[in-house]
Amino acid sequence: MKPTIPYIEQKFEEFNRKMFGGKLPKIPVLLSNARTFIGMCTFRKRRTLFGNVEYSDFKLRINSRIDLPECEIEDTIIHEMIHYFIAYHRLKDTSAHGQVFRCMMNDINKRYNRNITISHKSTKEQKELLMDTRRKWHVIAIVHFHDGRTGIKVLPRIKERIANYYRNVGSSREIESIDLYVSDNPFFNRYPCSSAFNVIFADRQTIEQNISDAKRLVCKGTDICLLENN
């Protein structure tokens, strides 16, 4: 399921009452489209004139980009509520997920049969789901090295920059050949687009699978055109 603000607010009230003794004030809830996290409790932190630490502007951010089982969404909300509880009540902990956090987490897991964990980053599978899946056109350079490695480079759709990359990188003694393609496969959305003379190495089979329906390009001087009979 993909969470909504009313759903998160309802779960926050339920968990606050059941697990946190109702000691957490209502917090603004925001939905996130980020690719790097599932949930996050954010706040401002400043040191006062007398050296005390004050926290303010608390917000609960939950990712709505990825479709997760409801139990994982609930555990994510509770995980962030523990962070909120520690910061709001100014409890000193040894680290972000230190002794206080672990003690609260373990107690909640045991008492309420939850599966909250310390590691709250996206799994490899979740990161794949968080990737941009929109179809948009890319110019792709597949760079073959003499040592058998293969690299991917996403280039700006500007003829001069494509030709410049093709000419300069292709002249390196390490390079066996460069193949140019145009593709709207969402697989390539994950790669940064630039004119820098570099590549990101990838498995040859993965590249071949994702380039199979792409259109070949040829570089003739400073001109870039589709390969005939492609």
Side-chain angles (χ1 to χ4, degrees):
M1 65 173 290
K2 292 188 177 183
T4 63
I5 289 179
Y7 171 84
I8 298 168
E9 290 176 339
Q10 185 267 323
K11 287 297 178 180
F12 178 91
E13 292 179 5
E14 175 187 337
F15 297 144
N16 187 29
R17 183 177 63 256
K18 182 186 299 184
M19 303 174 185
F20 298 90
K23 296 180 179 179
L24 287 174
K26 189 174 180 179
I27 186 174
V29 173
L30 301 174
L31 297 179
S32 171
N33 198 40
R35 305 177 192 176
T36 54
F37 67 88
I38 305 300
M40 185 180 296
C41 177
T42 62
F43 49 82
R44 296 182 184 275
K45 179 180 177 180
R46 74 180 184 91
R47 193 169 293 276
T48 67
L49 180 64
F50 299 102
N52 297 319
V53 176
E54 289 186 348
Y55 300 91
S56 63
D57 197 23
F58 290 94
K59 291 183 176 66
L60 178 60
R61 302 177 185 273
I62 301 296
N63 199 300
S64 60
R65 185 188 188 99
I66 185 171
D67 195 340
L68 289 174
E70 185 173 9
C71 60
E72 292 188 31
I73 296 173
E74 290 180 342
D75 285 344
T76 296
I77 295 171
I78 299 168
H79 179 114
E80 301 309 326
M81 289 178 72
I82 297 175
H83 283 303
Y84 180 29
F85 187 95
I86 292 172
Y88 181 80
H89 292 284
R90 301 181 186 178
L91 303 180
K92 291 185 178 181
D93 206 350
T94 53
S95 65
H97 296 104
Q99 294 179 1
V100 175
F101 184 96
R102 290 168 185 264
C103 183
M104 293 183 65
M105 178 190 73
N106 292 334
D107 181 62
I108 291 172
N109 282 340
K110 183 178 180 179
R111 292 175 59 192
Y112 301 101
N113 195 30
R114 305 303 312 188
N115 191 36
I116 308 160
T117 60
I118 293 296
S119 178
H120 199 52
K121 295 181 179 179
S122 308
T123 64
K124 180 179 179 181
E125 292 76 16
Q126 289 170 348
K127 286 180 180 178
E128 288 295 322
L129 291 173
L130 288 170
M131 288 293 179
D132 186 353
T133 58
R134 293 173 297 172
R135 286 196 170 273
K136 47 189 176 182
W137 291 104
H138 298 291
V139 172
I140 315 295
I142 305 299
V143 183
H144 304 281
F145 288 72
H146 287 295
D147 61 9
R149 294 179 298 168
T150 305
I152 295 174
K153 178 67 180 182
V154 175
L155 294 164
R157 290 184 294 168
I158 302 173
K159 288 185 177 181
E160 293 79 5
R161 295 189 182 183
I162 299 169
N164 190 44
Y165 182 90
Y166 184 87
R167 181 174 58 254
N168 283 277
V169 174
S171 65
S172 171
R173 295 180 180 180
E174 300 179 61
I175 305 303
E176 178 182 340
S177 63
I178 299 178
D179 296 323
L180 296 175
Y181 297 88
V182 60
S183 171
D184 66 346
N185 187 336
F187 172 81
F188 296 104
N189 293 352
R190 70 194 67 193
Y191 294 98
C193 177
S194 78
S195 302
F197 297 153
N198 58 12
V199 300
I200 296 177
F201 292 105
D203 176 76
R204 186 185 292 268
Q205 183 177 359
T206 300
I207 295 174
E208 290 175 352
Q209 289 175 347
N210 287 283
I211 212 74
S212 60
D213 59 349
K215 297 182 181 297
R216 286 287 301 272
L217 297 173
V218 292
C219 180
K220 299 178 180 179
T222 58
D223 193 24
I224 308 296
C225 57
L226 285 173
L227 181 66
E228 294 182 4
N229 300 320
N230 187 52

